[in-house]
Amino acid sequence: MARYGMALDYKNCINCKACEVACKEENGVLLGADKHRIWVGVKEIEGEFPLLSIASNTFMPSQCQHCEHAPCQEVCPTHATHYDENGVVRVDPDKCILCSYCMNACPYDARYVDDRTMTVDKCNFCSDTRLARGETTTACQATCPTKVRIFGDLDDPNSEISQVLRDREHFSLKPHLGTKPKLFYLI
Amino acid sequence: MDLQKIIPYRKMSLKELLVPENKLMALIAIVLTALFFIGVIIYLIHGHHAYGVTREHPWGLLIAMYIFFVVSSTGLCIVGSFGDVFGFKDYMAVSKRAIFGSIITILSGFAVIAFEIGHPITMMIYNVLSPGLTSAIWWMGTLYGIYLTFMVIEFIFLMRNDMKNAKIFGLFGLLVGLAAHSNLGGVFGFLNARVVANGVFYPTYFILTAFITGIYLIFLMYGYKYRGKPFPEDVTKALINFMKIQGLLLAILMFFETWKMLTGVYGGMPERADVIMHILHTKSFWLGEVMCGMVIPFLLILKSKGTAIKSMVWASFIGMIGIFYMRYDLVHDAQLFPMQTLKIREYQLPPSFVDYFPSSTEMMIGFGGIGICLILYFLGTKLFDLDSMPEHH
């Protein structure tokens, strides 16, 4: 039993999108702009030349926040969305009825429809691919050239993620909603 | 088994059953139903790609039409309950027709939603095997299933003029229907990610607008039945009473809406204020919801002091257009604000609201549901005696 989370040293992101590609490759996510489990958000540079705000130009990698109080899990009428033994929020495609309620309930826009199964899909920290094979990293983490992502067990005090969360300030997205995300953005 | 012993109906040949009473209405019903089936075929071939829904706007016209139908059903159940559940004699004349209407409208709603839910059969299985008790959709769907059962049993007893049993099942049907319908409001009200929908407003608003819809529909049903003829005395009495109640309900609705908008804008709460301001700049709100749904019928009721029941039939038709816009807008408005446009941190102004316009397939299935409802209604009016007063037997 673990309690998996991910820390993102997002200021190191160079927007190469290798993580998006690796995720699609590893998990067999269909091609297409709206079919993605993870993404890198780009904020355009503000201001007009020569008064450009370099600081405003940020890249923000993101994905399912694997909330401890996941709204998508609460609203699922058939328990298709559930927490697995490692606290990962997952979808059981056999039980998913594609009512799309979870897509509406997710505050992070982290869900999309997989056209092959016609069920809702999302990031599951590579649980049925890499973790199932006994590996300890996710595809997005393993491929990142600037080491933005740190994945690991939040319950293990000696894990890299636990150490970095102890050492560095961090924030999570939309904390006011009480979802308790397990994705942490390092400042 | 003799069906006649279970539910009395008029025996007639298939030809008699299918001969239309009014050719124009029959044509409208058939065309709409044909469109429904064409839409269904396109959906079965292309799946959700045939719809205009997107990742950011996963609910569209079909959800709105489902709500439109189930609001109508709950409303007709409330209207019908005045006579046969609560025993108010003045309303007894419309009970049978209203309860029949509540059954066919919810069936039409189920027909529409069956092609929005991706896996309706899986839903029926796992609703039972793996119930998500924290989900408003689970409660709404399950309670509506029970509600439909009660309403059918109530209708059977009404047809048999067994008022005692009709009253018992009608009461349970009404209570379960109100619970189901407020849960449908809860489907939106529970969403803390959707600030404009979150809260107590929708569960209560749904019940209020259901009652209003029920009254509009009862006017439409009797207006059609007695077109070009005066209403009978007992129906007149019920309709005048309902028209006066409608005046009060519309006044309450306008009061609710005013405060929803004021509290939404005041203080400028992020997301909510933006969406409310956006709503206040749309024609569908002002012309559809406000003018058609509330103001025009309200002014007629005020001007005639609640007596112009023939004009109210037309006002009810306009009112139902308004009710459609209310349903469409509430689904659309809830999803207007992008969750993470540009996928950036929250509380930065979004460059735009989420766009959605229904595809032709969605329109065919959604509006085609009205055709199914009309056909069921015409068959019902031929097969069943929806007018006889129970106390006369």
Side-chain angles (χ1 to χ4, degrees):
Chain A
M1 299 298 155
R3 192 167 65 92
Y4 285 133
M6 185 176 274
L8 294 124
D9 202 353
Y10 74 102
K11 288 179 182 170
N12 283 354
C13 179
I14 56 171
N15 194 25
C16 67
K17 301 198 192 295
C19 53
E20 292 185 14
V21 176
C23 173
K24 284 205 173 199
E25 178 68 23
E26 181 68 60
N27 299 296
V29 177
L30 286 176
L31 297 177
D34 61 339
K35 315 287 180 204
H36 52 258
R37 289 184 176 186
I38 67 171
W39 61 85
V40 178
V42 180
K43 188 155 179 279
E44 303 282 330
I45 293 179
E46 289 173 0
E48 284 188 20
F49 184 82
L51 305 174
L52 294 172
S53 164
I54 302 298
S56 69
N57 184 210
T58 53
F59 305 126
M60 199 74 161
S62 196
Q63 60 192 65
C64 168
Q65 307 286 310
H66 292 285
C67 311
E68 282 184 31
H69 296 155
C72 56
Q73 188 274 338
E74 275 183 10
V75 303
C76 180
T78 57
H79 284 310
T81 299
H82 61 282
Y83 303 106
D84 75 5
E85 65 278 14
N86 296 319
V88 178
V89 180
R90 296 178 69 176
V91 180
D92 180 348
D94 288 338
K95 288 183 183 171
C96 177
I97 62 170
L98 194 56
C99 65
S100 310
Y101 197 11
C102 54
M103 293 169 74
N104 253 318
C106 174
Y108 307 102
D109 192 18
R111 292 171 160 255
Y112 72 100
V113 179
D114 184 334
D115 285 341
R116 290 163 300 186
T117 55
M118 287 308 286
T119 54
V120 174
D121 192 24
K122 60 182 283 299
C123 163
N124 59 13
F125 280 151
C126 294
S127 287
D128 49 10
T129 51
R130 296 173 71 89
L131 299 192
R133 294 197 299 266
E135 295 179 45
T136 54
T137 57
T138 62
C140 52
Q141 176 197 13
T143 199
C144 181
T146 52
K147 302 292 171 210
V148 167
R149 294 161 188 267
I150 303 162
F151 170 74
D153 182 2
L154 296 166
D155 281 345
D156 175 3
N158 298 317
S159 66
E160 188 186 358
I161 186 170
S162 295
Q163 287 180 30
V164 82
L165 290 179
R166 277 199 302 271
D167 292 344
R168 290 179 61 180
E169 280 188 69
H170 51 268
F171 65 90
S172 45
L173 297 182
K174 303 191 181 183
H176 61 284
L177 294 179
T179 52
K180 296 200 173 173
K182 292 205 287 288
L183 241 67
F184 305 93
Y185 289 82
L186 301 173
I187 299 172
Chain B
M1 186 186 279
D2 187 4
L3 194 60
Q4 187 73 249
K5 279 188 182 165
I6 299 171
I7 180 165
Y9 65 94
R10 295 189 190 109
K11 285 204 164 150
M12 61 181 73
S13 68
L14 191 62
K15 194 182 167 193
E16 283 174 299
L17 181 65
L18 295 180
V19 169
E21 183 204 347
N22 178 308
K23 283 184 181 143
L24 177 65
M25 284 304 285
L27 183 70
I28 292 171
I30 289 167
V31 168
L32 286 173
T33 308
L35 287 175
F36 177 86
F37 285 107
I38 294 169
V40 166
I41 290 167
I42 297 172
Y43 167 73
L44 291 177
I45 295 169
H46 298 287
H48 275 82
H49 291 294
Y51 298 164
V53 292
T54 58
R55 176 182 180 135
E56 290 80 19
H57 198 296
W59 284 350
L61 178 69
L62 294 191
I63 295 282
M65 285 308 289
Y66 168 72
I67 298 172
F68 177 82
F69 282 120
V70 297
V71 166
S72 303
S73 177
T74 313
L76 285 168
C77 170
I78 297 171
V79 165
S81 298
F82 270 63
D84 76 329
V85 174
F86 300 118
F88 296 121
K89 288 204 166 48
D90 285 357
Y91 301 91
M92 199 69 93
V94 304
S95 275
K96 286 182 176 177
R97 195 170 291 266
I99 299 301
F100 178 71
S102 77
I103 294 170
I104 58 165
T105 43
I106 197 161
L107 288 176
S108 309
F110 285 162
V112 170
I113 199 75
F115 300 100
E116 165 62 36
I117 298 282
H119 304 281
I121 307 294
T122 311
M123 177 185 76
M124 284 188 261
I125 296 168
Y126 284 106
N127 239 25
V128 179
L129 294 183
S130 174
L133 299 181
T134 53
S135 168
I137 280 194
W138 186 88
W139 284 101
M140 183 265 295
T142 308
L143 289 171
Y144 265 130
I146 300 169
Y147 160 82
L148 176 60
T149 313
F150 279 131
M151 297 313 283
V152 169
I153 297 172
E154 179 192 9
F155 183 67
I156 291 172
F157 282 123
L158 276 176
M159 286 295 99
R160 297 162 96 170
N161 286 321
D162 180 347
M163 296 313 289
K164 196 176 159 214
N165 279 316
K167 184 176 189 164
I168 294 168
F169 283 95
L171 178 62
F172 282 119
L174 175 67
L175 293 176
V176 175
L178 291 175
H181 199 52
S182 48
N183 262 290
L184 180 55
V187 167
F188 294 89
F190 286 153
L191 294 176
N192 64 354
R194 309 283 178 175
V195 187
V196 76
N198 181 254
V200 72
F201 185 77
Y202 280 140
T204 47
Y205 164 86
F206 268 40
I207 301 298
L208 175 65
T209 52
F211 198 175
I212 290 171
T213 311
I215 294 178
Y216 282 150
L217 284 174
I218 208 75
F219 270 93
L220 285 182
M221 288 194 282
Y222 279 99
Y224 175 73
K225 180 173 167 58
Y226 294 105
R227 59 192 182 281
K229 289 183 280 190
F231 291 119
E233 197 187 330
D234 52 354
V235 173
T236 303
K237 199 186 265 181
L239 290 185
I240 287 178
N241 286 344
F242 274 129
M243 192 164 169
K244 287 177 177 164
I245 293 172
Q246 188 77 320
L248 174 66
L249 295 177
L250 288 173
I252 296 172
L253 177 61
M254 287 189 272
F255 185 79
F256 274 20
E257 282 281 350
T258 305
W259 275 104
K260 178 191 168 185
M261 296 303 165
L262 284 176
T263 51
V265 172
Y266 191 81
M269 184 177 168
E271 294 190 32
R272 194 168 70 168
D274 304 322
V275 175
I276 296 284
M277 282 309 290
H278 181 83
I279 295 168
L280 290 175
H281 286 87
T282 56
K283 284 189 187 122
S284 66
F285 175 72
W286 288 109
L287 296 181
E289 293 190 44
V290 176
M291 289 307 290
C292 293
M294 304 176 211
V295 172
I296 293 173
F298 186 68
L299 288 179
L300 176 75
I301 296 167
L302 277 191
K303 190 166 176 292
S304 71
K305 296 191 169 65
T307 54
I309 49 176
K310 279 285 179 188
S311 307
M312 187 61 192
V313 174
W314 289 105
S316 296
F317 182 75
I318 295 169
M320 284 308 290
I321 295 172
I323 294 288
F324 163 76
Y325 276 104
M326 287 182 205
R327 304 300 152 237
Y328 181 83
D329 285 352
L330 87 89
V331 172
H332 182 49
D333 295 344
Q335 300 169 92
L336 261 177
F337 199 89
M339 286 294 96
Q340 277 193 313
T341 308
L342 288 181
K343 309 285 184 180
I344 51 175
R345 228 178 302 174
E346 76 268 44
Y347 290 151
Q348 286 178 296
L349 281 180
S352 68
F353 290 103
V354 177
D355 276 331
Y356 166 77
F357 194 76
S359 71
S360 54
T361 311
E362 280 175 296
M363 289 190 203
M364 281 192 261
I365 298 178
F367 298 132
I370 297 172
I372 291 182
C373 193
L374 291 175
I375 285 186
L376 289 174
Y377 181 70
F378 295 130
L379 293 178
T381 49
K382 282 201 165 183
L383 284 172
F384 302 114
D385 175 11
L386 299 175
D387 290 308
S388 68
M389 294 279 282
E391 66 266 29
H392 293 167
H393 290 264

